[in-house]
Amino acid sequence: MNRHDIDWRGYFAALPTPFTAQGDLDLDAFSATVRLFVTQGAHGLLVNGSTGEWAAQSTEERKRLAETAVSAAAGQVPVIIAVTHAQPADAVELARHAEASGADAIMVPPPPAVRPTPTELHAYITEVAASTGLPCWLYNFPQENGTRLTVAQISELVQLPNVVAIKQSVADDSELQATIEAVGDTTLVFGNMLSRHGLAAIAGGHGGDGHFGSGMPLGSRMPRFFDLAWKGDLEEAGRIADDFAAFMDRLKGQDHDGYNWRYGGMQASLKAVMNLQGQPGGYPRRPKLPISDPDALQEIARALTQFGLPVVD
């Protein structure tokens, strides 16, 4: 199994997980978010990635979210379930449940906080990927789990029978390009493609299949970037890329670490963007906190208005 067995490309949205103010899982709001993102044109969805606050949930809650997402998406777009866990047996349990639930793929990052040796990492990914017949994504996001997959390691791991794709989330665009060059012939490579760099790669035929982003802060414009780029409308696609970069700069600030942004945590910031637009963002779950400072919320609302996004009173 490799990239030629699937046809996934474009903008895939990592779903936030809405909680109530009391910290309960809000499955109705989650279903509504899935339907919203599908309506906005997302080409695919990820459940319980970094955006989804997987670490704040029990295994049973993670299973309920997987089932809910598959049901709400109703086969309209591929649904990928992240099975992040420090213990391989628990990741295997989540992977098998994803398959039984009707998901389209799983995503397997390095085990968080473990900092495995290369040999340990290979054994972990092999065990989890082999536990299901679903296509498997790798996930390289060292900002969260503390382990950075090198291009050499990625090249080795994509040789596993059902590893077909990687979400390359390192901040360095040159490493994304190196990954494309190393494994793009056989493996889908998603990364920072909703950008001027990504647009140049698409226009020049230099590879790269899509962008896996946190939520859909610019709504339908995010998948539309790819629809335009594929058609050759580089001017309009470039404007969307510029808007996206400028909007995220407003949210993140200059000194962000990729996870904690100008006004609060990444998940809380995305939920504030959704809530201000009347969407079902909900609350983060403790220890993460919602953005409640009126001045911060006013600044986020101003950014939304500046970029033509609605704000509800």
Short mmCIF file of all heavy atoms in Angstrom, two decimals, residues 239-307:
data_model
loop_
_atom_site.label_atom_id
_atom_site.label_comp_id
_atom_site.label_asym_id
_atom_site.label_seq_id
_atom_site.Cartn_x
_atom_site.Cartn_y
_atom_site.Cartn_z
N ARG A 239 -3.28 35.28 -2.81
CA ARG A 239 -3.93 36.21 -1.88
C ARG A 239 -4.43 35.47 -0.64
O ARG A 239 -4.34 35.98 0.48
CB ARG A 239 -5.07 36.94 -2.58
CG ARG A 239 -4.61 38.07 -3.50
CD ARG A 239 -5.76 38.98 -3.88
NE ARG A 239 -6.66 38.35 -4.83
CZ ARG A 239 -6.56 38.44 -6.16
NH1 ARG A 239 -5.58 39.15 -6.69
NH2 ARG A 239 -7.43 37.85 -6.95
N ILE A 240 -4.98 34.27 -0.85
CA ILE A 240 -5.44 33.49 0.30
C ILE A 240 -4.26 33.10 1.18
O ILE A 240 -4.33 33.19 2.42
CB ILE A 240 -6.21 32.24 -0.17
CG1 ILE A 240 -7.51 32.65 -0.86
CG2 ILE A 240 -6.50 31.31 1.01
CD1 ILE A 240 -8.28 31.50 -1.49
N ALA A 241 -3.16 32.68 0.57
CA ALA A 241 -1.97 32.33 1.35
C ALA A 241 -1.48 33.52 2.16
O ALA A 241 -1.10 33.38 3.34
CB ALA A 241 -0.87 31.84 0.41
N ASP A 242 -1.49 34.71 1.56
CA ASP A 242 -1.05 35.91 2.28
C ASP A 242 -2.00 36.23 3.43
O ASP A 242 -1.55 36.60 4.54
CB ASP A 242 -0.99 37.10 1.32
CG ASP A 242 0.12 36.97 0.29
OD1 ASP A 242 1.03 36.14 0.49
OD2 ASP A 242 0.05 37.67 -0.73
N ASP A 243 -3.31 36.11 3.21
CA ASP A 243 -4.28 36.36 4.27
C ASP A 243 -4.09 35.37 5.42
O ASP A 243 -4.15 35.74 6.60
CB ASP A 243 -5.71 36.25 3.73
CG ASP A 243 -6.14 37.49 2.96
OD1 ASP A 243 -5.41 38.50 2.98
OD2 ASP A 243 -7.22 37.44 2.34
N PHE A 244 -3.88 34.12 5.07
CA PHE A 244 -3.71 33.09 6.10
C PHE A 244 -2.46 33.38 6.94
O PHE A 244 -2.51 33.32 8.17
CB PHE A 244 -3.61 31.71 5.44
CG PHE A 244 -3.40 30.58 6.42
CD1 PHE A 244 -4.28 30.38 7.46
CD2 PHE A 244 -2.33 29.71 6.27
CE1 PHE A 244 -4.09 29.33 8.37
CE2 PHE A 244 -2.13 28.67 7.16
CZ PHE A 244 -3.01 28.47 8.21
N ALA A 245 -1.35 33.71 6.28
CA ALA A 245 -0.12 34.01 7.01
C ALA A 245 -0.31 35.23 7.92
O ALA A 245 0.12 35.21 9.09
CB ALA A 245 1.02 34.26 6.03
N ALA A 246 -0.97 36.26 7.40
CA ALA A 246 -1.16 37.48 8.20
C ALA A 246 -2.11 37.23 9.38
O ALA A 246 -1.88 37.72 10.49
CB ALA A 246 -1.70 38.60 7.31
N PHE A 247 -3.18 36.47 9.13
CA PHE A 247 -4.13 36.20 10.21
C PHE A 247 -3.47 35.37 11.31
O PHE A 247 -3.64 35.66 12.50
CB PHE A 247 -5.35 35.46 9.65
CG PHE A 247 -6.41 35.19 10.67
CD1 PHE A 247 -7.23 36.22 11.12
CD2 PHE A 247 -6.60 33.92 11.19
CE1 PHE A 247 -8.22 35.98 12.08
CE2 PHE A 247 -7.58 33.67 12.13
CZ PHE A 247 -8.39 34.70 12.57
N MET A 248 -2.71 34.35 10.93
CA MET A 248 -2.07 33.52 11.94
C MET A 248 -0.99 34.29 12.69
O MET A 248 -0.78 34.06 13.88
CB MET A 248 -1.48 32.26 11.29
CG MET A 248 -2.53 31.34 10.69
SD MET A 248 -3.91 30.94 11.80
CE MET A 248 -3.07 29.96 13.05
N ASP A 249 -0.32 35.23 12.01
CA ASP A 249 0.63 36.08 12.73
C ASP A 249 -0.08 36.90 13.81
O ASP A 249 0.47 37.11 14.89
CB ASP A 249 1.34 37.02 11.75
CG ASP A 249 2.45 36.34 10.97
OD1 ASP A 249 2.85 35.22 11.37
OD2 ASP A 249 2.91 36.92 9.97
N ARG A 250 -1.29 37.36 13.50
CA ARG A 250 -2.06 38.12 14.49
C ARG A 250 -2.39 37.24 15.70
O ARG A 250 -2.36 37.70 16.85
CB ARG A 250 -3.35 38.65 13.86
CG ARG A 250 -3.15 39.77 12.86
CD ARG A 250 -2.92 41.12 13.54
NE ARG A 250 -4.06 41.57 14.30
CZ ARG A 250 -5.11 42.24 13.81
NH1 ARG A 250 -5.13 42.55 12.50
NH2 ARG A 250 -6.10 42.63 14.57
N LEU A 251 -2.75 36.00 15.46
CA LEU A 251 -3.12 35.10 16.55
C LEU A 251 -1.90 34.62 17.35
O LEU A 251 -1.96 34.50 18.57
CB LEU A 251 -3.86 33.87 16.01
CG LEU A 251 -5.31 34.02 15.58
CD1 LEU A 251 -5.88 32.66 15.23
CD2 LEU A 251 -6.16 34.69 16.66
N LYS A 252 -0.82 34.35 16.64
CA LYS A 252 0.32 33.70 17.29
C LYS A 252 1.27 34.67 17.96
O LYS A 252 1.86 34.34 19.00
CB LYS A 252 1.10 32.87 16.26
CG LYS A 252 0.34 31.65 15.76
CD LYS A 252 1.17 30.86 14.76
CE LYS A 252 0.47 29.60 14.31
NZ LYS A 252 1.30 28.82 13.35
N GLY A 253 1.47 35.84 17.37
CA GLY A 253 2.48 36.75 17.89
C GLY A 253 3.87 36.34 17.43
O GLY A 253 4.06 35.33 16.75
N GLN A 254 4.86 37.12 17.83
CA GLN A 254 6.23 36.91 17.36
C GLN A 254 6.99 35.85 18.14
O GLN A 254 7.90 35.23 17.60
CB GLN A 254 6.99 38.24 17.42
CG GLN A 254 6.43 39.31 16.50
CD GLN A 254 6.47 38.90 15.04
OE1 GLN A 254 7.49 38.43 14.55
NE2 GLN A 254 5.34 39.06 14.35
N ASP A 255 6.65 35.65 19.38
CA ASP A 255 7.47 34.79 20.25
C ASP A 255 6.79 33.48 20.59
O ASP A 255 7.11 32.85 21.60
CB ASP A 255 7.82 35.53 21.55
CG ASP A 255 8.59 36.81 21.28
OD1 ASP A 255 9.46 36.78 20.39
OD2 ASP A 255 8.34 37.81 21.98
N HIS A 256 5.85 33.02 19.75
CA HIS A 256 5.14 31.79 20.06
C HIS A 256 6.06 30.58 19.89
O HIS A 256 7.07 30.64 19.18
CB HIS A 256 3.92 31.64 19.15
CG HIS A 256 4.27 31.37 17.72
ND1 HIS A 256 4.42 30.10 17.23
CD2 HIS A 256 4.49 32.21 16.68
CE1 HIS A 256 4.73 30.15 15.95
NE2 HIS A 256 4.78 31.42 15.59
N ASP A 257 5.72 29.49 20.55
CA ASP A 257 6.52 28.27 20.47
C ASP A 257 5.87 27.22 19.59
O ASP A 257 6.27 26.05 19.60
CB ASP A 257 6.75 27.69 21.88
CG ASP A 257 5.44 27.33 22.59
OD1 ASP A 257 4.35 27.47 21.98
OD2 ASP A 257 5.49 26.90 23.75
N GLY A 258 4.87 27.63 18.80
CA GLY A 258 4.16 26.69 17.96
C GLY A 258 2.96 26.08 18.65
O GLY A 258 2.11 25.44 18.01
N TYR A 259 2.86 26.28 19.96
CA TYR A 259 1.80 25.64 20.72
C TYR A 259 1.05 26.64 21.60
O TYR A 259 -0.15 26.51 21.80
CB TYR A 259 2.41 24.53 21.59
CG TYR A 259 1.46 23.39 21.87
CD1 TYR A 259 1.15 22.46 20.89
CD2 TYR A 259 0.88 23.25 23.11
CE1 TYR A 259 0.28 21.42 21.14
CE2 TYR A 259 0.01 22.20 23.38
CZ TYR A 259 -0.28 21.29 22.39
OH TYR A 259 -1.16 20.25 22.64
N ASN A 260 1.76 27.61 22.14
CA ASN A 260 1.15 28.66 22.95
C ASN A 260 1.28 29.98 22.21
O ASN A 260 2.40 30.39 21.86
CB ASN A 260 1.79 28.72 24.33
CG ASN A 260 1.49 27.47 25.13
OD1 ASN A 260 0.34 27.10 25.30
ND2 ASN A 260 2.52 26.80 25.62
N TRP A 261 0.15 30.65 21.99
CA TRP A 261 0.09 31.79 21.10
C TRP A 261 -0.05 33.09 21.87
O TRP A 261 0.02 33.11 23.10
CB TRP A 261 -1.05 31.60 20.09
CG TRP A 261 -0.85 30.43 19.17
CD1 TRP A 261 0.24 29.60 19.10
CD2 TRP A 261 -1.79 29.93 18.21
NE1 TRP A 261 0.05 28.64 18.13
CE2 TRP A 261 -1.17 28.81 17.58
CE3 TRP A 261 -3.07 30.32 17.81
CZ2 TRP A 261 -1.82 28.09 16.57
CZ3 TRP A 261 -3.71 29.61 16.81
CH2 TRP A 261 -3.09 28.50 16.19
N ARG A 262 -0.30 34.18 21.14
CA ARG A 262 -0.30 35.52 21.71
C ARG A 262 -1.30 35.66 22.87
O ARG A 262 -0.99 36.24 23.91
CB ARG A 262 -0.64 36.54 20.63
CG ARG A 262 -0.58 38.00 21.10
CD ARG A 262 -1.22 38.93 20.08
NE ARG A 262 -0.57 38.88 18.78
CZ ARG A 262 0.41 39.69 18.39
NH1 ARG A 262 0.86 40.62 19.20
NH2 ARG A 262 0.91 39.58 17.17
N TYR A 263 -2.51 35.15 22.70
CA TYR A 263 -3.58 35.41 23.66
C TYR A 263 -3.89 34.21 24.56
O TYR A 263 -4.70 34.32 25.47
CB TYR A 263 -4.85 35.82 22.94
CG TYR A 263 -4.65 37.01 22.02
CD1 TYR A 263 -4.70 36.87 20.63
CD2 TYR A 263 -4.38 38.27 22.54
CE1 TYR A 263 -4.50 37.95 19.80
CE2 TYR A 263 -4.17 39.36 21.71
CZ TYR A 263 -4.23 39.20 20.34
OH TYR A 263 -4.03 40.27 19.52
N GLY A 264 -3.26 33.07 24.28
CA GLY A 264 -3.54 31.87 25.05
C GLY A 264 -3.04 30.65 24.31
O GLY A 264 -2.31 30.74 23.32
N GLY A 265 -3.45 29.47 24.79
CA GLY A 265 -3.04 28.24 24.14
C GLY A 265 -3.61 28.11 22.73
O GLY A 265 -4.57 28.80 22.36
N MET A 266 -2.99 27.24 21.95
CA MET A 266 -3.42 27.04 20.57
C MET A 266 -4.88 26.64 20.49
O MET A 266 -5.67 27.21 19.73
CB MET A 266 -2.53 25.99 19.90
CG MET A 266 -2.95 25.62 18.48
SD MET A 266 -3.92 24.09 18.43
CE MET A 266 -2.63 22.88 18.72
N GLN A 267 -5.28 25.64 21.30
CA GLN A 267 -6.67 25.18 21.23
C GLN A 267 -7.64 26.26 21.69
O GLN A 267 -8.68 26.48 21.07
CB GLN A 267 -6.85 23.92 22.09
CG GLN A 267 -6.03 22.73 21.62
CD GLN A 267 -4.71 22.60 22.34
OE1 GLN A 267 -4.22 23.56 22.95
NE2 GLN A 267 -4.10 21.42 22.29
N ALA A 268 -7.29 26.96 22.77
CA ALA A 268 -8.17 28.02 23.26
C ALA A 268 -8.30 29.15 22.24
O ALA A 268 -9.37 29.74 22.08
CB ALA A 268 -7.63 28.57 24.59
N SER A 269 -7.22 29.44 21.53
CA SER A 269 -7.25 30.50 20.52
C SER A 269 -8.18 30.13 19.37
O SER A 269 -8.99 30.94 18.91
CB SER A 269 -5.84 30.77 19.99
OG SER A 269 -4.98 31.19 21.02
N LEU A 270 -8.08 28.90 18.90
CA LEU A 270 -8.95 28.44 17.82
C LEU A 270 -10.40 28.42 18.26
O LEU A 270 -11.31 28.76 17.49
CB LEU A 270 -8.51 27.07 17.33
CG LEU A 270 -7.17 27.04 16.57
CD1 LEU A 270 -6.71 25.61 16.38
CD2 LEU A 270 -7.30 27.75 15.23
N LYS A 271 -10.64 28.02 19.49
CA LYS A 271 -12.01 27.99 19.98
C LYS A 271 -12.57 29.40 20.14
O LYS A 271 -13.76 29.62 19.86
CB LYS A 271 -12.07 27.21 21.30
CG LYS A 271 -11.84 25.71 21.09
CD LYS A 271 -11.80 24.93 22.38
CE LYS A 271 -11.63 23.45 22.06
NZ LYS A 271 -11.67 22.60 23.25
N ALA A 272 -11.73 30.34 20.53
CA ALA A 272 -12.19 31.73 20.60
C ALA A 272 -12.56 32.24 19.21
O ALA A 272 -13.59 32.92 19.04
CB ALA A 272 -11.10 32.61 21.21
N VAL A 273 -11.76 31.91 18.20
CA VAL A 273 -12.07 32.29 16.82
C VAL A 273 -13.42 31.72 16.41
O VAL A 273 -14.25 32.41 15.79
CB VAL A 273 -10.96 31.80 15.87
CG1 VAL A 273 -11.41 31.85 14.41
CG2 VAL A 273 -9.69 32.63 16.05
N MET A 274 -13.68 30.46 16.75
CA MET A 274 -14.95 29.84 16.38
C MET A 274 -16.11 30.46 17.16
O MET A 274 -17.15 30.81 16.59
CB MET A 274 -14.89 28.33 16.64
CG MET A 274 -13.92 27.58 15.73
SD MET A 274 -13.90 25.80 16.06
CE MET A 274 -15.54 25.30 15.50
N ASN A 275 -15.94 30.60 18.46
CA ASN A 275 -17.04 31.11 19.30
C ASN A 275 -17.44 32.53 18.91
O ASN A 275 -18.63 32.87 18.90
CB ASN A 275 -16.64 31.06 20.77
CG ASN A 275 -16.51 29.63 21.29
OD1 ASN A 275 -17.13 28.71 20.77
ND2 ASN A 275 -15.68 29.44 22.31
N LEU A 276 -16.45 33.35 18.58
CA LEU A 276 -16.75 34.72 18.18
C LEU A 276 -17.55 34.77 16.88
O LEU A 276 -18.26 35.74 16.61
CB LEU A 276 -15.45 35.52 18.03
CG LEU A 276 -14.77 35.93 19.34
CD1 LEU A 276 -13.34 36.40 19.09
CD2 LEU A 276 -15.58 37.03 20.04
N GLN A 277 -17.45 33.71 16.08
CA GLN A 277 -18.21 33.64 14.83
C GLN A 277 -19.54 32.90 15.00
O GLN A 277 -20.25 32.67 14.03
CB GLN A 277 -17.39 32.94 13.75
CG GLN A 277 -16.15 33.69 13.35
CD GLN A 277 -15.40 32.98 12.24
OE1 GLN A 277 -15.77 33.03 11.07
NE2 GLN A 277 -14.33 32.28 12.61
N GLY A 278 -19.85 32.52 16.23
CA GLY A 278 -21.09 31.79 16.47
C GLY A 278 -21.01 30.32 16.12
O GLY A 278 -22.03 29.65 15.94
N GLN A 279 -19.80 29.79 16.05
CA GLN A 279 -19.58 28.38 15.74
C GLN A 279 -19.39 27.59 17.03
O GLN A 279 -19.10 28.15 18.09
CB GLN A 279 -18.36 28.24 14.82
CG GLN A 279 -18.52 28.95 13.49
CD GLN A 279 -17.23 28.98 12.69
OE1 GLN A 279 -16.17 28.51 13.14
NE2 GLN A 279 -17.28 29.54 11.49
N PRO A 280 -19.52 26.25 16.98
CA PRO A 280 -19.51 25.43 18.20
C PRO A 280 -18.10 25.10 18.69
O PRO A 280 -17.71 23.94 18.79
CB PRO A 280 -20.26 24.17 17.77
CG PRO A 280 -19.97 24.04 16.31
CD PRO A 280 -19.91 25.45 15.79
N GLY A 281 -17.31 26.13 19.02
CA GLY A 281 -15.95 25.89 19.47
C GLY A 281 -15.88 25.29 20.87
O GLY A 281 -15.04 24.45 21.16
N GLY A 282 -16.77 25.73 21.75
CA GLY A 282 -16.75 25.24 23.12
C GLY A 282 -15.57 25.75 23.91
O GLY A 282 -14.97 26.79 23.59
N TYR A 283 -15.21 25.00 24.95
CA TYR A 283 -14.14 25.36 25.87
C TYR A 283 -13.01 24.35 25.77
O TYR A 283 -13.24 23.19 25.42
CB TYR A 283 -14.65 25.37 27.32
CG TYR A 283 -15.65 26.44 27.64
CD1 TYR A 283 -16.99 26.31 27.26
CD2 TYR A 283 -15.27 27.58 28.34
CE1 TYR A 283 -17.92 27.30 27.56
CE2 TYR A 283 -16.19 28.58 28.66
CZ TYR A 283 -17.51 28.42 28.27
OH TYR A 283 -18.42 29.40 28.57
N PRO A 284 -11.78 24.75 26.11
CA PRO A 284 -10.74 23.74 26.34
C PRO A 284 -10.99 23.04 27.67
O PRO A 284 -11.82 23.49 28.47
CB PRO A 284 -9.45 24.56 26.36
CG PRO A 284 -9.88 25.92 26.81
CD PRO A 284 -11.29 26.11 26.30
N ARG A 285 -10.29 21.96 27.89
CA ARG A 285 -10.40 21.23 29.17
C ARG A 285 -9.16 21.51 30.01
O ARG A 285 -8.04 21.51 29.52
CB ARG A 285 -10.56 19.73 28.92
CG ARG A 285 -10.65 18.90 30.19
CD ARG A 285 -10.85 17.41 29.88
NE ARG A 285 -12.28 17.07 29.79
CZ ARG A 285 -12.73 15.83 29.54
NH1 ARG A 285 -11.88 14.85 29.32
NH2 ARG A 285 -14.03 15.60 29.49
N ARG A 286 -9.38 21.74 31.30
CA ARG A 286 -8.27 21.99 32.20
C ARG A 286 -7.24 20.85 32.13
O ARG A 286 -7.63 19.71 31.95
CB ARG A 286 -8.78 22.16 33.64
CG ARG A 286 -9.61 23.45 33.82
CD ARG A 286 -10.19 23.54 35.22
NE ARG A 286 -9.13 23.68 36.20
CZ ARG A 286 -8.63 24.86 36.58
NH1 ARG A 286 -9.09 25.98 36.07
NH2 ARG A 286 -7.67 24.92 37.48
N PRO A 287 -5.95 21.20 32.21
CA PRO A 287 -5.38 22.46 32.69
C PRO A 287 -5.37 23.59 31.66
O PRO A 287 -4.98 24.71 32.01
CB PRO A 287 -3.95 22.08 33.08
CG PRO A 287 -3.61 20.98 32.15
CD PRO A 287 -4.87 20.20 31.99
N LYS A 288 -5.73 23.34 30.40
CA LYS A 288 -5.83 24.43 29.44
C LYS A 288 -7.02 25.32 29.82
O LYS A 288 -8.04 24.82 30.32
CB LYS A 288 -6.00 23.90 28.02
CG LYS A 288 -4.88 22.95 27.56
CD LYS A 288 -3.50 23.58 27.60
CE LYS A 288 -3.31 24.61 26.52
NZ LYS A 288 -1.92 25.15 26.51
N LEU A 289 -6.88 26.61 29.59
CA LEU A 289 -7.89 27.58 30.00
C LEU A 289 -8.43 28.35 28.81
O LEU A 289 -7.69 28.61 27.84
CB LEU A 289 -7.29 28.57 31.01
CG LEU A 289 -6.79 27.96 32.33
CD1 LEU A 289 -6.07 29.03 33.15
CD2 LEU A 289 -7.95 27.36 33.12
N PRO A 290 -9.69 28.74 28.86
CA PRO A 290 -10.24 29.55 27.77
C PRO A 290 -9.68 30.97 27.80
O PRO A 290 -9.18 31.44 28.83
CB PRO A 290 -11.74 29.56 28.07
CG PRO A 290 -11.83 29.38 29.55
CD PRO A 290 -10.69 28.47 29.91
N ILE A 291 -9.75 31.63 26.67
CA ILE A 291 -9.36 33.04 26.62
C ILE A 291 -10.55 33.86 27.11
O ILE A 291 -11.62 33.85 26.48
CB ILE A 291 -8.97 33.44 25.19
CG1 ILE A 291 -7.74 32.65 24.74
CG2 ILE A 291 -8.70 34.94 25.10
CD1 ILE A 291 -7.38 32.83 23.28
N SER A 292 -10.38 34.52 28.24
CA SER A 292 -11.49 35.26 28.84
C SER A 292 -11.22 36.75 28.96
O SER A 292 -12.13 37.53 29.27
CB SER A 292 -11.80 34.69 30.24
OG SER A 292 -10.65 34.72 31.06
N ASP A 293 -9.98 37.17 28.72
CA ASP A 293 -9.64 38.58 28.83
C ASP A 293 -10.39 39.38 27.76
O ASP A 293 -10.25 39.10 26.56
CB ASP A 293 -8.14 38.77 28.66
CG ASP A 293 -7.74 40.23 28.70
OD1 ASP A 293 -7.85 40.83 29.77
OD2 ASP A 293 -7.35 40.77 27.64
N PRO A 294 -11.20 40.37 28.15
CA PRO A 294 -11.99 41.12 27.16
C PRO A 294 -11.15 41.80 26.09
O PRO A 294 -11.54 41.85 24.93
CB PRO A 294 -12.74 42.15 28.02
CG PRO A 294 -12.77 41.56 29.39
CD PRO A 294 -11.50 40.79 29.53
N ASP A 295 -9.98 42.31 26.47
CA ASP A 295 -9.13 42.99 25.49
C ASP A 295 -8.61 41.99 24.46
O ASP A 295 -8.53 42.30 23.26
CB ASP A 295 -7.97 43.68 26.19
CG ASP A 295 -8.41 44.87 27.03
OD1 ASP A 295 -9.50 45.43 26.75
OD2 ASP A 295 -7.69 45.23 27.98
N ALA A 296 -8.23 40.80 24.92
CA ALA A 296 -7.74 39.77 24.00
C ALA A 296 -8.85 39.36 23.03
O ALA A 296 -8.62 39.23 21.82
CB ALA A 296 -7.22 38.57 24.78
N LEU A 297 -10.04 39.14 23.56
CA LEU A 297 -11.15 38.75 22.71
C LEU A 297 -11.50 39.85 21.72
O LEU A 297 -11.84 39.57 20.55
CB LEU A 297 -12.37 38.40 23.56
CG LEU A 297 -12.24 37.11 24.40
CD1 LEU A 297 -13.39 36.99 25.37
CD2 LEU A 297 -12.18 35.88 23.48
N GLN A 298 -11.39 41.09 22.14
CA GLN A 298 -11.66 42.21 21.24
C GLN A 298 -10.62 42.25 20.11
O GLN A 298 -10.96 42.51 18.94
CB GLN A 298 -11.66 43.52 22.01
CG GLN A 298 -12.07 44.72 21.16
CD GLN A 298 -12.16 46.00 21.97
OE1 GLN A 298 -11.19 46.41 22.61
NE2 GLN A 298 -13.33 46.61 21.96
N GLU A 299 -9.36 41.97 20.44
CA GLU A 299 -8.32 41.96 19.40
C GLU A 299 -8.55 40.83 18.41
O GLU A 299 -8.34 41.00 17.20
CB GLU A 299 -6.94 41.83 20.05
CG GLU A 299 -6.45 43.08 20.74
CD GLU A 299 -6.37 44.26 19.77
OE1 GLU A 299 -5.82 44.08 18.65
OE2 GLU A 299 -6.87 45.35 20.11
N ILE A 300 -8.96 39.66 18.90
CA ILE A 300 -9.25 38.55 17.99
C ILE A 300 -10.44 38.90 17.10
O ILE A 300 -10.44 38.63 15.89
CB ILE A 300 -9.52 37.25 18.78
CG1 ILE A 300 -8.26 36.82 19.55
CG2 ILE A 300 -9.97 36.13 17.83
CD1 ILE A 300 -8.49 35.67 20.51
N ALA A 301 -11.46 39.53 17.69
CA ALA A 301 -12.63 39.95 16.90
C ALA A 301 -12.22 40.95 15.82
O ALA A 301 -12.72 40.90 14.68
CB ALA A 301 -13.69 40.54 17.82
N ARG A 302 -11.32 41.87 16.15
CA ARG A 302 -10.86 42.84 15.16
C ARG A 302 -10.12 42.15 14.02
O ARG A 302 -10.27 42.52 12.85
CB ARG A 302 -9.93 43.86 15.83
CG ARG A 302 -10.67 44.89 16.69
CD ARG A 302 -9.68 45.76 17.42
NE ARG A 302 -10.36 46.76 18.25
CZ ARG A 302 -9.79 47.43 19.24
NH1 ARG A 302 -8.50 47.20 19.54
NH2 ARG A 302 -10.46 48.32 19.94
N ALA A 303 -9.34 41.14 14.36
CA ALA A 303 -8.63 40.39 13.31
C ALA A 303 -9.62 39.67 12.41
O ALA A 303 -9.47 39.66 11.18
CB ALA A 303 -7.66 39.39 13.95
N LEU A 304 -10.64 39.07 12.98
CA LEU A 304 -11.67 38.40 12.18
C LEU A 304 -12.33 39.38 11.22
O LEU A 304 -12.49 39.10 10.02
CB LEU A 304 -12.72 37.76 13.09
CG LEU A 304 -12.28 36.53 13.89
CD1 LEU A 304 -13.32 36.20 14.96
CD2 LEU A 304 -12.07 35.33 12.98
N THR A 305 -12.70 40.54 11.74
CA THR A 305 -13.35 41.55 10.91
C THR A 305 -12.42 42.03 9.80
O THR A 305 -12.83 42.19 8.64
CB THR A 305 -13.79 42.74 11.77
OG1 THR A 305 -14.71 42.27 12.78
CG2 THR A 305 -14.48 43.79 10.92
N GLN A 306 -11.16 42.24 10.13
CA GLN A 306 -10.19 42.70 9.14
C GLN A 306 -10.09 41.74 7.96
O GLN A 306 -9.91 42.16 6.82
CB GLN A 306 -8.81 42.86 9.78
CG GLN A 306 -7.72 43.29 8.80
CD GLN A 306 -6.35 43.33 9.43
OE1 GLN A 306 -6.22 43.41 10.66
NE2 GLN A 306 -5.31 43.26 8.62
N PHE A 307 -10.20 40.44 8.24
CA PHE A 307 -10.06 39.45 7.18
C PHE A 307 -11.41 38.96 6.64
O PHE A 307 -11.50 37.90 6.04
CB PHE A 307 -9.20 38.29 7.67
CG PHE A 307 -7.75 38.67 7.83
CD1 PHE A 307 -7.28 39.10 9.04
CD2 PHE A 307 -6.89 38.66 6.74
CE1 PHE A 307 -5.95 39.48 9.19
CE2 PHE A 307 -5.57 39.04 6.88
CZ PHE A 307 -5.09 39.45 8.11
#
